[in-house]
């Protein structure tokens, strides 16, 4: 728990007592007690060690599951729309599931790698706001040939021909191309629709496989096999928010 404490509604939401709206209803109806005293203050700060009860049943403290790290496998959509099944939410372990859980940004169905899920809108805002310039690194396998001036065009902020808008300056690195295709890394600090695929296309090649292996300073944790997710540690949270 942070030194400034955790608001009561968040404490309850991340321990599976309901969605944000649901736990606020509980608090509003005086069904929640802190150290034996009923409270109707959603934002009451808990500093750790308080006894929190809902309808007289103690809510156990546990690991903070507000932010989850996931190694997304190919084939799952980052969507809540039932028409898009199979969804990434199908692999959330029951103990970590929550009605407010959502992905911070999206990866395409075929894209693999690091994605963050959270119940905290402030975390989503910080990780996805282009003004925050959170860098993300993609490993790209492509077919065709990248233009000779690809590195410079990406660094200058290239225009996507299909919508005419200018991307933020980005980093194209480790380009290794032979006849008919190759590999590279592309680091972006924004997240437009199909951005990597569209940039690579504009540079003369076509993405065949895409894998995200870093957000901020956080590399995809080695203990996360494809399809696995777990709560982020405090150190991992700090690395997510810090740029490489
Ligand atoms: N850019 C893409 O084209 N696809 C992704 O999944 C992520 C970034």
């Amino acid at each position: 728990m942070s030194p400034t404490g955790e608001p009561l509604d968040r404490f309850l939401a991340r321990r599976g007592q309901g969605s944000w709206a649901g736990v606020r209803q509980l608090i509003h109806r005086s069904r929640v007690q802190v150290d034996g005293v009923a409270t109707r203050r959603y934002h009451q700060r808990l500093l750790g060690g308080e006894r929190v009860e809902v309808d007289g049943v103690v809510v156990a403290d546990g690991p903070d599951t507000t932010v989850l790290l996931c190694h997304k496998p190919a084939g799952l959509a980052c969507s809540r729309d039932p028409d898009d099944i199979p969804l990434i939410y199908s692999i959330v372990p029951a103990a970590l599931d929550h009605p407010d859980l959502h992905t911070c940004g999206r990866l395409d169905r075929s894209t693999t790698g690091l994605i963050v899920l959270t119940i905290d809108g402030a975390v989503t805002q910080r990780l996805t706001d282009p003004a925050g310039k959170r860098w993300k690194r993609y490993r790209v396998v492509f077919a065709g040939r990248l233009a000779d001036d690809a590195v410079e065009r990406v660094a200058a902020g290239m225009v996507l021909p299909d919508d005419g808008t200018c991307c933020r300056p980005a980093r194209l690195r480790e380009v290794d191309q032979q006849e008919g295709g190759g590999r590279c890394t592309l680091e972006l600090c924004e997240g437009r629709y199909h951005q990597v695929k569209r940039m690579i296309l504009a540079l003369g090649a076509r993405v065949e496989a895409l894998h995200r292996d870093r957000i901020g300073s956080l590399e995809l944790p080695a203990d996360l096999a494809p399809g696995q997710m777990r709560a982020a540690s405090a150190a991992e949270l700090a690395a997510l928010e810090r740029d490489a």
Side-chain angles (χ1 to χ4, degrees):
M1 201 171 290
S2 85
T4 54
E6 179 178 27
L8 180 59
D9 56 354
R10 179 174 139 142
F11 175 96
L12 292 169
R14 71 181 175 82
R15 285 169 183 77
Q17 298 297 310
S19 64
W20 291 120
V23 300
R24 286 182 175 201
Q25 279 295 323
L26 290 176
I27 298 168
H28 184 69
R29 293 186 178 138
S30 301
R31 291 172 58 190
V32 178
Q33 292 193 322
V34 179
D35 289 336
V37 180
T39 179
R40 296 176 77 181
R41 291 170 50 224
Y42 314 140
H43 299 301
Q44 176 171 343
R45 297 224 161 230
L46 305 175
L47 296 173
E50 292 91 342
R51 181 184 168 88
V52 179
E53 292 163 87
V54 175
D55 295 334
V57 178
V58 173
V59 179
D61 203 350
D64 187 337
T65 55
T66 313
V67 180
L68 305 180
L69 305 177
C70 173
H71 185 163
K72 181 188 173 298
L76 301 180
C78 294
S79 154
R80 281 277 184 194
D81 187 339
D83 288 344
D84 291 337
I85 56 169
L87 309 180
I88 193 163
Y89 302 99
S90 66
I91 60 169
V92 180
L96 299 176
D97 207 1
H98 189 279
D100 294 340
L101 195 64
H102 58 275
T103 57
C104 293
R106 291 182 176 206
L107 290 177
D108 296 338
R109 191 185 289 280
S110 58
T111 303
T112 59
L114 180 59
I115 188 154
V116 176
L117 294 95
T118 184
I119 60 173
D120 190 335
V123 171
T124 314
Q125 174 70 22
R126 285 204 298 279
L127 293 185
T128 56
D129 182 2
K133 290 197 178 167
R134 186 85 43 233
W135 286 90
K136 300 175 184 87
R137 184 173 68 191
Y138 297 88
R139 304 272 179 197
V140 184
V141 178
F142 60 85
R145 185 163 183 86
L146 293 175
D148 291 341
D149 60 353
V151 171
E152 293 77 21
R153 282 167 62 191
V154 167
M158 55 184 287
V159 174
L160 292 173
D162 49 358
D163 68 9
T165 57
C166 191
C167 298
R168 283 176 180 264
R171 306 164 182 156
L172 179 63
R173 291 184 171 152
E174 301 173 67
V175 179
D176 172 18
Q177 54 183 346
Q178 288 96 36
E179 198 63 37
R183 295 170 182 271
C184 62
T185 66
L186 186 54
E187 293 174 39
L188 306 179
C189 63
E190 58 184 342
R192 297 163 185 237
Y193 181 66
H194 289 168
Q195 187 166 350
V196 174
K197 291 176 181 162
R198 291 160 69 209
M199 286 175 72
I200 295 292
L201 201 59
L203 293 167
R206 194 184 72 252
V207 171
E208 294 216 306
L210 191 53
H211 177 78
R212 183 162 70 190
D213 71 344
R214 192 168 72 195
I215 301 176
S217 294
L218 183 70
E219 308 261 346
L220 176 63
D223 67 308
L224 280 182
Q228 290 187 329
M229 68 180 75
R230 60 164 172 74
S233 68
E236 287 169 332
L237 272 177
L240 266 180
E241 308 244 2
R242 194 175 58 238
D243 264 328

